[in-house]
Amino acid sequence: MRPVLILSPLLVLSACHGRDETKEPGTSVSINAKSDDGDDVQIKADGETGKVAVKIPGFEGKMTLPKMMLDHSNFDIDGVKLYPGSKVTNVNVNANDSGDHDSAKVNVTFTSPADPAKVAAYFRQAFADEDIKVAGNDASLAGTTSDGNPFTIALTPGVAGQTAGTVAIDAK
């Protein structure tokens, strides 16, 4: 794995959605992975400060990039995006591609500008439109992606009528 391959997407992402001028927080990202050779790969971007730390075989570095805020259009499950107007606050990926392993756990936290019942209804309809079955209630939904990976969506009341949510995907 070459540092340029990892750094290029970071630089492209930093060019979009720059947030430093407003002092608003961006999305925090944490990636912890093992490559197919068993090497550790770590990338952490702090949404509060814009500081990014990269540690891959043959390269380790720290830099500060413009903060970016991912929104509802930057994330989807089989074509289903987050509730309109949602903001992604945190992305955490733990992956292992070494040896016989081929798995990843992805957790995405977000806020939505509506109450949990409205957000849950949106997800139920959006998944139905994509022929993906989900079960659950206004606080928790569960389903399986078209690739057979289970996912859950937890929704709790947030500040000022908003929703705080977490999407968890267990990819194998």
Side-chain angles (χ1 to χ4, degrees), residues 55-71:
K55 184 177 180 183
I56 59 177
F59 178 81
E60 187 171 341
K62 294 181 180 179
M63 64 201 90
T64 302
L65 298 172
K67 294 177 275 185
M68 62 177 184
M69 175 58 75
L70 300 178
D71 64 23

Side-chain angles (χ1 to χ4, degrees), residues 124-137:
R124 281 192 287 273
Q125 183 61 54
F127 282 116
D129 290 347
E130 297 294 330
D131 293 324
I132 297 171
K133 294 181 185 193
V134 293
N137 54 37

